[in-house]
Amino acid sequence: MLAHKKILLAVTGGIAVYKSLELTRQLKKQGAEVRVVMTKSATAFIQPLSFQALSGHSVHCELLDVEAENAMGHIELARWADVFVIAPATANTLAKMAHGLADDLVSTLYLAATCPVYVAPAMNHVMWNHPAMQANLKILQNHNVNLIAPESGEQACGEVGIGRMAEPETICQRLISDLTMPQSLANLNVIITAGATREPLDPVRYLTNRSSGKMGYALALAAKKAGANVLLISGVTQLSAPKNCNFILVETAEQMHIAVFENIENCDIFIGAAAVADYRPIEIGEKKIKKNSDQITLTLEKNPDILADVAALENPPFTVGFAAETNDLEHYARDKLNRKKLNMIAANWVGREKGGFERDENALDVFWQDGKKSLTMTDKSELARQLIALIHERFHAKN
Ligand code: PMT
């Protein structure tokens, strides 16, 4: 149920506008209060009056409308909302949002909104796959915009491909599951590590790995949504720090170790999602290493094992590790669970076409002493939500 949730629904111009009428009806049925804003091109498909009748509120269409501003101005409207949903979101509106343009009511509301934002794109499949569109989506995801992915199938233009707006039930269910996520981790302190560490060789080179940070950042957001006080300790990534989480940026494994141990007191749950370099060069060249010979030998020394050190504390938090494996997943994961004395370990395949490093999707096999649960392939934000729910379950079973 979405009882008393204030949902600001922006409708932009595409044939999928008709689905947003049904979406408005379903959101109202779930108990939400819905206010609708429309772009000018959306009104070419459907009259504002239809949304007014379904939402029970007048519909705002213009940025510079004296009457509408007198009733509830655009800044007030943005502040009023618990959640801002743009459905359908056209390529044009998504591009404006990604680049901070504010030349109409919807794009201006996006800049003024401080609440969670969801987009349900709708467009032709060729437009959806265009590199410019995909680059804009990446920017928006870095702004913590939640994507409700379009579906594949026959499109209004008669072509077949990905780009159809998600069905109203799917959008409604996603909002219900995110907005009514039980505050299961309320008042708990959670530390999450994410991303790859970089181990310098000389002033211009370093050793690192393929971790993008997506899995760890998604976990930070999911833990925050579950009510936790979250500290995310991250290696260098392309991602923006998640909203409302405490954040420490580090470069090396040693710096990550220090940051974790400076904050570990009072930590209830520790999740090690970072891909920490096991080894670092013994010597860091003061000057750039020159290519004077055909071969060079690097001598590496072991980095501290952050996860094992946390689990070895006298009063350790509930400690969750990750295992990135290319073979014998369960064998190696259980070995890490036992050797590092962890409460849980989430194992994923890496080096495959799907899942693991860099991808937007992943799957996890989660192990604990006397149990196991498989979380199937899905996008990392949904997977993170499922893993946080499982951690909550096991944390309370232990305490
Ligand atoms: O960041 P993404 O691109 O989204 O990819 C996600 C991921 C594949 C990086 C993530 O899901 C994952 O598997 N993270 C752990 C990667 C890893 O280093 O696994 P490992 O099996 O080498 O390490 C086992 C555990 O020990 C991990 O929890 C790791 O954080 C921890 N560790 C390892 C070495 C070390 N010196 N200190 C540690 O804390």
Side-chain angles (χ1 to χ4, degrees):
M1 288 289 283
L2 293 168
H4 311 303
K5 293 283 180 219
K6 297 178 191 138
I7 299 182
L8 180 59
L9 173 64
V11 181
T12 71
I15 187 65
V17 164
Y18 76 94
K19 289 187 180 176
S20 300
L21 287 173
E22 174 59 15
L23 177 62
T24 308
R25 201 187 63 79
Q26 290 197 16
L27 294 172
K28 290 279 292 178
K29 204 169 153 208
Q30 289 294 330
E33 193 181 339
V34 184
R35 286 180 182 265
V36 179
V37 296
M38 297 175 80
T39 58
K40 194 158 179 265
S41 48
T43 62
F45 290 89
I46 283 180
Q47 290 294 314
L49 199 57
S50 307
F51 282 103
Q52 184 172 314
L54 284 169
S55 68
H57 292 288
S58 56
V59 172
H60 295 232
C61 300
E62 298 288 342
L63 181 57
L64 305 171
D65 177 333
V66 179
E67 236 175 70
E69 286 293 303
N70 271 341
M72 193 188 255
H74 63 275
I75 297 289
E76 231 176 319
L77 206 50
R79 295 282 181 279
W80 167 85
D82 292 326
V83 59
F84 184 25
V85 182
I86 299 137
T90 58
N92 183 47
T93 294
L94 293 168
K96 284 197 225 176
M97 289 166 63
H99 297 284
L101 299 187
D103 65 348
D104 65 6
L105 181 58
V106 174
S107 51
T108 305
L109 281 169
Y110 170 64
L111 289 186
T114 50
C115 60
V117 178
Y118 287 77
V119 291
M123 67 197 71
N124 169 273
H125 64 107
V126 180
M127 292 169 73
W128 173 254
N129 286 317
H130 195 284
M133 180 66 241
Q134 291 302 315
N136 286 338
L137 269 185
K138 285 221 155 63
I139 295 175
L140 289 173
Q141 282 175 313
N142 283 343
H143 295 172
N144 294 321
V145 169
N146 299 285
L147 172 68
I148 304 178
E151 293 170 2
S152 205
E154 189 171 346
Q155 302 204 279
C157 56
E159 294 177 10
V160 175
I162 185 163
R164 276 177 16 180
M165 185 175 102
E167 292 303 318
E169 304 77 61
T170 311
I171 300 176
C172 204
Q173 275 313 315
R174 171 72 180 273
L175 294 175
I176 291 172
S177 93
D178 280 10
L179 300 182
T180 59
M181 187 152 168
Q183 296 290 290
S184 53
L185 300 184
N187 303 322
L188 294 178
N189 297 318
V190 176
I191 297 181
I192 298 170
T193 65
T197 62
R198 285 178 176 176
E199 309 300 328
L201 273 171
D202 68 15
V204 296
R205 304 181 181 97
Y206 50 79
L207 300 177
T208 190
N209 61 64
R210 290 179 181 278
S211 171
S212 63
K214 286 178 189 168
M215 191 68 245
Y217 280 54
L219 282 165
L221 276 176
K224 187 72 219 169
K225 280 182 188 161
N229 305 314
V230 179
L231 168 60
L232 177 64
I233 301 176
S234 172
V236 179
T237 71
Q238 303 286 317
L239 308 173
S240 312
K243 268 187 199 161
N244 304 325
C245 294
N246 297 310
F247 183 73
I248 300 177
L249 183 65
V250 297
E251 193 171 353
T252 64
E254 211 166 16
Q255 290 168 5
M256 189 173 270
H257 191 271
I258 291 170
V260 166
F261 278 83
E262 278 177 354
N263 291 281
I264 201 71
E265 214 184 317
N266 302 324
C267 171
D268 299 293
I269 298 174
F270 177 83
I271 308 173
V276 185
D278 291 320
Y279 293 91
R280 61 169 178 251
I282 270 192
E283 273 179 42
I284 305 173
E286 269 179 38
K287 294 186 184 141
K288 186 178 169 194
I289 300 168
K290 290 290 170 197
K291 49 172 190 257
N292 296 331
S293 55
D294 286 346
Q295 291 188 342
I296 60 165
T297 304
L298 295 175
T299 310
L300 307 177
E301 64 183 336
K302 229 176 185 171
N303 267 323
D305 190 318
I306 303 166
L307 185 68
D309 288 353
V310 168
L313 284 167
E314 201 176 327
N315 286 310
F318 186 86
T319 307
V320 182
F322 267 72
E325 308 296 346
T326 54
N327 56 294
D328 300 321
L329 186 93
E330 178 157 2
H331 169 77
Y332 286 120
R334 285 211 179 269
D335 175 61
K336 282 173 189 163
L337 178 76
N338 293 328
R339 213 167 13 90
K340 299 193 185 191
K341 300 189 169 54
L342 309 176
N343 297 99
M344 257 174 99
I345 192 152
N348 45 191
W349 294 102
V350 290
R352 293 188 167 194
E353 202 189 318
K354 281 189 108 184
F357 288 122
E358 294 171 312
R359 310 273 166 189
D360 290 331
E361 293 194 327
N362 200 12
L364 293 168
D365 280 342
V366 189
F367 303 99
W368 56 97
Q369 259 332 310
D370 48 1
K372 166 183 175 171
K373 183 162 184 176
S374 291
L375 306 178
T376 54
M377 188 69 68
T378 183
D379 72 87
K380 283 180 176 169
S381 51
E382 171 55 21
L383 189 67
R385 200 185 64 74
Q386 294 176 16
L387 181 59
I388 289 295
L390 188 57
I391 290 173
H392 157 253
E393 202 181 294
R394 302 306 315 155
F395 174 81
H396 286 290
K398 178 181 174 274
N399 291 291

